Structures are given as structure tokens and as C-alpha cells.
Amino acid sequence: MSERRPNLLRGMRAGRAQGASLERRDALAHLGSSTMHEDLRARLAEAHAAAERDRLADREWALMTVRGIAGAMAKHEIEDATLEGEARALAHEIIARDERDFAPITAAIRAKTYGPDDWRRALDRLPANEHDAYTERILGVAHTPPAEVARGEQMVHFVASQLAEIRDFVPHLGADDVVYDVGSGTGKVALLTAWLTDATVKGVELDSAYVAVADRARDALGLDVEFVAADARSLDYADLTVLYLYEPFRGAVMAEFLERIDARRREAPIRVFSKFVVEDGLAGVPWLEWDETLPSGLRLFRSS
């Protein structure tokens, strides 16, 4: 695991990783079907127990585990309508509970009776490993839908930025900035940036299912953010001043995208905030100069 993402396996992310691991566990491949079945039932029992606890990290772990069970059943062709139905019911129960608990805060943000300072005070009362879970729920983007668009080679499946990275990012923005979050997913970075700053914010996302979640969240929050469902290589970035990249793609796809950005930086200087886990997609770009690495590992580049 890269040192540049030290919190990946902590807290809420640990729950996500463990739940998702059920989809890819090589160990299951050589087990008998009955043993595999028992393993999934045991996991579901653990998820039920976790969902009953009050901590957001436990709720998040339970939901990701349930989704992992569904993925494992599909992958290993396990047919059990009862198990599948119980897992689905638990997922719906957790999501409904989230909506009951957090919809009033979302409405208060829209009404401007709950502001950034209220949010910061709420985070101060929570353990650090629940900050992302809480923030995603008040924004209305905690639950990522199934992807509708198959991502091609060198396009990275959506992974949401962590709050630490966003909090490092927003102090660098001003009212004159036009921010493009490329690979915006369900809108966490773009929505939070629009709420916390006076910058103009735009999100670009390939998958329309993710954009639909972002659009609904924006409308519920009453924020001014534009989301575009498009291949980032097809857009015009004529007004861009700041680019946010959380490893949306690599290799040749990144090179094609950067040709678009190169055209813009020839007209006006730009800043790029990026984080890459597998490889640094901006390494060797001749017109970008590294400026600093922020505490979260987010890197700031300036165009030359």
C-alpha cells in the first residue's frame, strides 16, 4: 500500500475494504459451496450486529459488507434467495436509516441554518474515522449506485477523495477561481468545495448514474455546482483556473486529457491539485512545476 494514502485502511475505509474483499477473495474459490455459503451467512450476521450499533463507522462497515456478500454470491454463482433477500433488506434498512438521520441536516444546509462552522463543530465531536461518513451523509452522496458505464482500459473506477484531502484543497481557492473536479463521481469534492468557498465549481464524470446522484444532492443542498456527464477528453476548459484530479485515469487517456489542459494553460496560468495511488499521472509533464505537497498527500502543481 502506497505511503501516500496512509488512512486507507483506517476506520471507515477498513469497513469498505473488508466488505469489498468478499467480491475478490481468492480463498473462496477453492472452498466447497457449503463452506462458502456458511462464510457468507456468518458475514451477514456480523453485518446485522454492526448495523445495530450507533457508530457511523459500524454502519458503514455493515453496508459495505452486505454489498460484498452480493458480489461474492454473483461471482461464485451461489443461489440462495433467502440470503440474498436478507442482505438486500439490511442494505435498504441502513440506507433508510441514513436518510432519516441526516435529511434534516441536508435541509438545514439548504435553508442556510446549518453552515460550515456547524459542520466543523460536529466533526470535532466525532472520532476522526467517522468524519468522511458523516460528511458524505449530510451531502447526500454516501451511497454510490451501480455503475452504468463500462470504463475502458486506463480509466480508474471511482474512489471518493477523503475529507483530509478536500480540507487541504479548499483554503487555496478564491472567488475568481473556476474549479474543475475531473472524475467527480457522486460529487463529494465539488459539493463540499462549493459549500465552503466562493469559487465556481464544475464536476466532470463519465458515468451518468453518478452524475444523477450528484445532481440530486446539489438540488437538495441548494448549492450552485454544475455537473457534466461526459468523457473529460471531449470538453473545452476555456474558463479553468484550478484542476482537481484524484487519479481518474492513467497512461494514454491521461495524456489525451492533458492535451486539452495544455491548450488552456497557454492562455492563462492554472493550478493542478492531484493525488495518485498507483502511479503519478503528472510525472514528466513539461509544462507543470511541482509547488508543494500538502499534509494529506495532495500535490500542488503550477503551469509554466
Side-chain angles (χ1 to χ4, degrees):
M1 181 62 63
S2 170
E3 292 182 358
R4 288 175 290 177
R5 202 170 185 187
N7 294 321
L8 183 63
L9 297 180
R10 296 179 183 173
M12 181 186 66
R13 291 296 192 187
R16 292 184 175 181
Q18 186 164 349
S21 72
L22 287 170
E23 296 184 79
R24 60 180 184 270
R25 286 177 61 198
D26 293 336
L28 288 178
H30 67 265
L31 294 176
S33 60
S34 61
T35 304
M36 191 185 307
H37 198 189
E38 291 169 4
D39 182 85
L40 296 180
R41 279 215 160 273
R43 293 286 182 168
L44 182 58
E46 293 172 1
H48 270 288
E52 292 297 319
R53 296 192 283 269
D54 290 334
R55 292 176 64 248
L56 278 178
D58 290 325
R59 193 186 302 186
E60 184 81 357
W61 184 93
L63 185 60
M64 293 303 105
T65 298
V66 166
R67 289 175 175 169
I69 289 169
M73 290 182 70
K75 178 178 179 179
H76 298 285
E77 300 181 348
I78 298 172
E79 296 184 5
D80 184 333
T82 301
L83 177 60
E84 183 178 358
E86 290 176 359
R88 186 183 300 113
L90 180 56
H92 289 323
E93 177 185 327
I94 294 170
I95 292 171
R97 183 180 174 190
D98 280 346
E99 292 175 351
R100 289 194 305 270
D101 290 351
F102 293 95
I105 302 177
T106 303
I109 293 173
R110 181 181 181 86
K112 297 185 173 15
T113 58
Y114 184 101
D117 287 341
D118 299 296
W119 167 69
R120 294 184 185 100
R121 284 191 290 269
L123 295 185
D124 288 341
R125 295 191 295 268
L126 292 170
N129 69 346
E130 295 189 0
H131 288 185
D132 279 278
Y134 179 84
T135 302
E136 290 169 5
R137 281 161 174 78
I138 67 171
L139 293 177
V141 298
H143 307 298
T144 304
E148 291 183 350
V149 176
R151 296 181 185 258
E153 187 177 355
Q154 298 179 326
M155 288 189 172
V156 181
H157 182 72
F158 167 62
V159 176
S161 295
Q162 293 191 41
L163 187 54
E165 293 143 0
I166 303 171
R167 295 180 86 170
D168 272 354
F169 171 58
V170 295
H172 293 265
L173 305 177
D176 294 333
D177 280 317
V178 179
V179 179
Y180 279 77
D181 174 17
V182 174
S184 55
T186 55
K188 179 180 177 181
V189 173
L191 293 166
L192 201 54
T193 300
W195 189 38
L196 299 177
T197 76
D198 293 323
T200 298
V201 185
K202 303 181 182 185
V204 180
E205 170 55 47
L206 182 66
D207 199 309
S208 57
Y210 298 166
V211 172
V213 172
D215 281 340
R216 286 195 298 271
R218 174 201 59 209
D219 294 344
L221 293 160
L223 296 174
D224 185 10
V225 189
E226 178 184 356
F227 290 103
V228 180
D231 187 318
R233 295 170 291 180
S234 69
L235 299 181
D236 179 9
Y237 298 91
D239 56 350
L240 178 148
T241 67
V242 175
L243 178 62
Y244 185 92
L245 294 174
Y246 197 76
E247 196 169 19
F249 25 70
R250 306 175 187 137
V253 177
M254 176 63 79
E256 290 179 39
F257 167 71
L258 289 175
E259 289 178 6
R260 293 277 186 174
I261 305 304
D262 185 22
R264 167 56 180 162
R265 69 96 193 173
R266 292 175 185 273
E267 299 174 355
I270 65 170
R271 288 169 290 151
V272 181
F273 293 81
S274 70
K275 192 167 186 180
F276 295 86
V277 177
V278 176
E279 61 183 54
D280 190 344
L282 301 182
V285 178
W287 46 266
L288 279 180
E289 296 180 357
W290 172 80
D291 186 293
E292 64 176 311
T293 299
L294 305 178
S296 64
L298 201 65
R299 302 180 73 195
L300 167 58
F301 293 84
R302 297 181 186 272
S303 64
S304 57

